[in-house]
Structure formats: structure tokens, C-alpha cells
């Protein structure tokens, strides 16, 4: 079966040039049809588009890029796009890894980075109102200057935006204590595909029917453009304690962590590295040689952090965890944003990717073994390993890394074989195909199996009702091009 992702035979809308003229008149210098701008806004970090880029090829480019500065401007842009039936793609900083902003039918990329203002910090309610084009690192720095934290730090925090986080249900490294972005989101403002503006009332809880803001969460720009968000924030923790333990098996480490979580102890950071990744990241820790490394960070008030540290240690020792002290945690903090390995591997001719999946505790260890086995069985795979990067009361996220060296002509086929192996094994084992990177183009072909016929039909019905002309980020989420 050929892997067609929907833009080989794109159709140019009849009204495209008229739409571009109107947009240029509306925005002036904040409109560009320059090739350089179109290339920069036309791809994310999906390894497949990176592969094409290195070969001198590009995925379908947008026809123009615009930079709005207000919700009212976003609404006007959406109205123009809808009138002329021109595709419109919201864009943050392009840090996605699944082709989620690829302009499959051309159209307009709406770069949101000029909408980066903090509107309000409600210090009594600990609520933040902020525009969604703000850079993650900038947002956190501004909050910490005032004694607060969002505690949402994905590995891409320095090159991603709040809008991107909301659009793909992102997870940060402190997710065990503070949750994923959907746990922090209290409300939003969004421009819908007809140009109308939606904004929900902010209350701690509400029983007023289905939550419309939750419908837009994770929609990857297919149902509208999120322009503002209201988020929970926290006061900066008084104390932070880092611990590391080495275990004989993945199962022992997972069991220790499960018992910690289910005793209602919530470390801020929990990461379990299998033996392969422990060798890669902690090769200088003698006690961890050929073992599985667990990294824990407890934080909060001094008393709370001390109690959580004590109880976590008891469970780790119960499952024969070897205390490796705080140094592996310090090393993790020093290197946690380093993603240079992937670039080095790709530049040296390898195919490399990361895949995040999730499952309940009862299924996560078998899933780990089966998906690693499936990846290694794909011909030309050199290495596959993983770590558990986010854990919860009921289960965990498994983050896989895989590299292979297929022949140059077979790289794209090999890439899809890797993903077929990972996704099909995950669904067969009762896991979910995505934990925090979203769907984009790459996972779209698995959505029917993941959601089932009823689920995908419902999603398509919502899309049809809100966006009958299919202008909002077409081709993503399994909503076309199948």
C-alpha cells in the first residue's frame, strides 16, 4: 500500500489570489508571500519532512504567511479565508514532530507569535490569562519573576508556544504532580471557522452541559484558532529533593512507582529509563550499569517534600532499588533539553524517531516488551529503547526511541514500517497511540482503528458542522485524505 499523505495533487482554491489581496490590505507588512517565509512556516520537526528537506525537497508549502496581533484580527482573517474557501493553518513555533502544520492543500499559515501578552495574573485564584502565541520559556520566566510557576516544561519549552501545547494536549516534565496541559486549562478564547468568537466563563467547576473549550483542546487547529487561555498556576515550591534508584528490571521499577503513586504520594518528576537508555544517559553511574534507572523529584513545602522523599525511598527499597544518590537527577536537569542526538543521527544517514504511547499499569510492562520487540523486528533497525516519562495513578506514558539504517532509497518505506509496528502493537495491547504529541499527519491513518467507527464518525460530524468548507488545517486528525 502506498503511503499517500494528501498533498501530492493539491487543489488551488479559485479565490486564492483575491484572498491574498484582501489579507495584504488588512495586514500590510504582517503579510508575506515570500518563499523564505513560506518555507519556514511550512514544516515542523516531523522526521519525514526533515528527511525530504535534506534531499532538497519540501512538502506542500503554504501560499502566504500572516501575523495577527489581536483576536479581532484573527477573526477577520478567518472570515476572509472562509469566504474564499482558502485553507488556514494556525502556527506556533513549528516544534511538532508529526507534520501537524503541513499545508496539505496550500493556503495561509497564521503565525501566532505576535499574540504573546500576559493579560492577567489572578493571585487569589492562582489563574493566569495569556495569549497563546507566547513562547513557553518566556512565559515561565515571567511567572517566576513574580513568584509563580506554570510547571509545564516539555522538552520543547524553549521552542514551542502555549497554543501548540493546547492543540496537541502536551505534557511537561513535571506532569505527575501538576498534570498535562489539559489539567491546567480552565478556559479559552477561540475564533471558530465562521469567524465568530467563543469564550467560556471561568469557574472552578460547572455543570452546564458538555465543555466547549474541551472540544477545542487537542483539535490541532481543525476546529478553530485558540487565541487566549486561562491556566492554573502555582506558587514556586519551597523545597526540591532529587533521588535516583537503579532496579534490576523494568517491572520492579514500574511496580515501585505504581505503589508510590497509589499511596497518594506525587513526585513532581518520575522517569524510568530502560537498560539501553540508562547506558546512554547515565553511563558514568556504576551502580546503574546494566540496570534500569529511576529519577524522582519531590517538591513543595519543606515538610511535604521530606515526607514524600521518605515514603518514595521505602517503596524503592522494597523493590530492591539501589540508591544512586542525587547526582543522576542533577545530570538529568543539566541535559534534559538536549535533543542534539537526533540531529547527529539523521545527518549521518540514519532514520531516527521518537514515539510516545500510554497504557494502564496492568498493561504497560507487557506493552513495553512487545513494542520494543516489534520495532527491533523491522529490518534495518539498529537500536530501540525507551523510558517512562509521565506516570499517573492509573498508568504511564512510554516514550520510545528507535534508529535504523535502511538503504537511501528505502528510508521513507522503512519509516512507515516503524510506525506501523509501533502503532499496531500498541492498539493490539490495549494502549493509546498518542500521549502528548498529538496526531498531525503521521498518525492520521491510525485514527479509525484508535477511535472506532462510531468515534471517528462523531469527530467528522463535529468537523462538518463547524467547518463545512474544511478550511481549518485540513487533512489532520484522520479528518480527510484517507
Amino acid at each position: 500500500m502506498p503511503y499517500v499523505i494528501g498533498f501530492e495533487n493539491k487543489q488551488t482554491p479559485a479565490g486564492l489570489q483575491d484572498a491574498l489581496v484582501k489579507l495584504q490590505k488588512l495586514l500590510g507588512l504582517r503579510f508575506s508571500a515570500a518563499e523564505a517565509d513560506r518555507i519556514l512556516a511550512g514544516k515542523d520537526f516531523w522526521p519525514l519532512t526533515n528527511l525530504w528537506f535534506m534531499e532538497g525537497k519540501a512538502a506542500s508549502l503554504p501560499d502566504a504567511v500572516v501575523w495577527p496581533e489581536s483576536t479581532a484580527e484573527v477573526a477577520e482573517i478567518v472570515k476572509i479565508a472562509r469566504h474564499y474557501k482558502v485553507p488556514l493553518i494556525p502556527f506556533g513555533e513549528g516544534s511538532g514532530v508529526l507534520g501537524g502544520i503541513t499545508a496539505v492543500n496550500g493556503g495561509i499559515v497564521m503565525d501566532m507569535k505576535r499574540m504573546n501578552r500576559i493579560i492577567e495574573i489572578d493571585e487569589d485564584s492562582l489563574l493566569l490569562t495569556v495569549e497563546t502565541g507566547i513562547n513557553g520559556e518566556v512565559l515561565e520566566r515571567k511567572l517566576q519573576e513574580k513568584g509563580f510557576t506554570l510547571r509545564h516544561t516539555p522538552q520543547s519549552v524553549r521552542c514551542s508556544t502555549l497554543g501548540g501545547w493546547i492543540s496537541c494536549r502536551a505534557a511537561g516534565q513535571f506532569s505527575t504532580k501538576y498534570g498535562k496541559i489539559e489539567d491546567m486549562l480552565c478556559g479559552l478564547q477561540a475564533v471558530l471557522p465562521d469567524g465568530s468568537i467563543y469564550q467560556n466563563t471561568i469557574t472552578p467547576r460547572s455543570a452546564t452541559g458538555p465543555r466547549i473549550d474541551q472540544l477545542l483542546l487537542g483539535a490541532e487547529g481543525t476546529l478553530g484558532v485558540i487565541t487566549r487561555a486561562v491556566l492554573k498556576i502555582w506558587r514556586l515550591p519551597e523545597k526540591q529533593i532529587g533521588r535516583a534508584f537503579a532496579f534490576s528490571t523494568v517491572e520492579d521499577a514500574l511496580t515501585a512507582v505504581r505503589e508510590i503513586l497509589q499511596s497518594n504520594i506525587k513526585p513532581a518528576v518520575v522517569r524510568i529509563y530502560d537498560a539501553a537508555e540508562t547506558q546512554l544517559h547515565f553511563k558514568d553511574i556504576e551502580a546503574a550499569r546494566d540496570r534500569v534507572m529511576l529519577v524522582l523529584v519531590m517538591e513543595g513545602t519543606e515538610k511535604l517534600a521530606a515526607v514524600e522523599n521518605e515514603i518514595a525511598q521505602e517503596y524503592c527499597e522494597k523493590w530492591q532499588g539501589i540508591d544512586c544518590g542525587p547526582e543522576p537527577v542533577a545530570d538529568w536537569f543539566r541535559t534534559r533539553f538536549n535533543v542534539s542526538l537526533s540531529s547527529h543521527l539523521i545527518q549521518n544517514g540514519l532514520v531516527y524517531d521518537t514515539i510516545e504511547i500510554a497504557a494502564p499499569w496492568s498493561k504497560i510492562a507487557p506493552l513495553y516488551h512487545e513494542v520494543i520487540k516489534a520495532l527491533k523486528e523491522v529490518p534495518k533497525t539498529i537500536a530501540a529503547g525507551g523510558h517512562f516519562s509521565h506516570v499517573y495513578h492509573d498508568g504511564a506514558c512510554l516514550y520510545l526511541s528507535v534508529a535504523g539504517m535502511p538503504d537511501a532509497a528505502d528510508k521513507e518505506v522503512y519509516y512507515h514500517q516503524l510506525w506501523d509496528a509501533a502503532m499496531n502493537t500498541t492498539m493490539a495491547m490495549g494502549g493509546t497511540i498518542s500521549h502528548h504529541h498529538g496526531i498531525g499527519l503521521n498518525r492520521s491513518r491510525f485514527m479509525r482503528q484508535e477511535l472506532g467507527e462510531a468515534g471517528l464518525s462523531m469527530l467528522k460530524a463535529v468537523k462538518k458542522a463547524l467547518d463545512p468548507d474544511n478550511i481549518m488545517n485540513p487533512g489532520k486528525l484522520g479528518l480527510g485524505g484517507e
Side-chain angles (χ1 to χ4, degrees), residues 19 52 84 106 115 130 159 174 245-246 277-278 305 353 372 389 392:
W52 296 334
Y84 292 103
M115 296 185 62
V130 61
C159 59
F174 293 77
F245 295 85
E277 292 211 1
T278 296
D353 207 355
I372 291 289
S389 55
Y392 311 98

Side-chain angles (χ1 to χ4, degrees), residues 32-187:
S32 176
E35 185 178 59
D37 290 324
R38 293 163 57 216
I39 290 173
L40 287 172
K43 68 178 291 296
D44 55 13
F45 278 86
W46 185 19
L48 199 53
T49 49
N50 288 339
L51 175 64
W52 296 334
F53 201 75
M54 291 180 66
E55 295 174 348
K57 299 181 290 187
S60 176
L61 293 180
D63 297 288
V65 184
V66 297
W67 290 268
E69 291 184 341
S70 68
T71 299
E73 278 193 342
V74 172
E76 287 303 309
I77 294 166
V78 170
K79 288 175 183 176
I80 291 170
R82 183 172 189 183
H83 178 78
Y84 292 103
K85 295 182 173 54
V86 174
L88 189 62
I89 303 152
F91 179 86
E93 293 196 14
S95 65
V97 292
L98 295 163
I101 53 86
T102 304
V104 296
N105 294 321
I108 313 301
V109 164
M110 185 185 295
D111 189 323
M112 299 294 290
K113 285 192 285 292
R114 285 177 177 258
M115 296 185 62
N116 59 5
R117 294 172 286 269
I118 292 178
I119 308 300
E120 180 187 12
I121 297 176
D122 181 340
E123 296 190 14
D124 291 329
S125 308
L126 288 181
L127 293 175
L128 164 74
T129 304
V130 61
E131 292 179 324
T132 55
I134 194 165
N135 171 273
E137 177 77 7
V138 171
L139 173 58
E140 182 64 21
R141 191 182 309 129
K142 289 184 175 182
L143 286 173
Q144 291 198 15
E145 287 171 358
K146 297 179 180 296
F148 302 105
T149 178
L150 181 61
R151 267 311 184 255
H152 184 79
T153 51
Q155 194 172 46
S156 64
V157 68
R158 295 169 177 169
C159 59
S160 59
T161 64
L162 172 59
W165 300 346
I166 295 170
S167 293
C168 70
R169 291 181 172 264
Q173 294 163 344
F174 293 77
S175 61
T176 297
K177 188 176 187 72
Y178 301 97
K180 293 176 66 199
I181 195 67
E182 61 259 35
D183 303 301
M184 303 171 184
L185 184 68
C186 299

Side-chain angles (χ1 to χ4, degrees), residues 433-477:
I433 63 172
S434 180
H435 175 262
H436 59 266
H437 285 168
I439 300 301
L441 279 177
N442 194 31
R443 283 186 167 114
S444 286
R445 69 181 188 273
F446 304 105
M447 284 291 276
R448 184 177 301 278
Q449 189 177 348
E450 168 82 4
L451 298 181
E453 286 293 338
L456 186 59
S457 294
M458 184 180 294
L459 184 59
K460 287 185 172 183
V462 171
K463 172 72 169 174
K464 185 69 174 177
L466 291 178
D467 185 18
D469 296 314
N470 192 30
I471 66 164
M472 297 304 306
N473 203 10
K476 314 311 189 306
L477 287 182

Side-chain angles (χ1 to χ4, degrees), residues 351 371-384 402-406 410-411 413-422 425:
V351 173
V371 76
I372 291 289
K373 177 184 175 185
L375 290 170
K376 288 182 176 180
E377 287 177 348
V378 177
K380 305 297 184 177
T381 295
I382 295 171
V402 58
M405 182 65 92
D410 298 330
K411 285 185 176 182
V413 171
Y414 170 75
Y415 182 82
H416 288 299
Q417 289 173 341
L418 285 179
W419 274 87
D420 285 347
T425 302

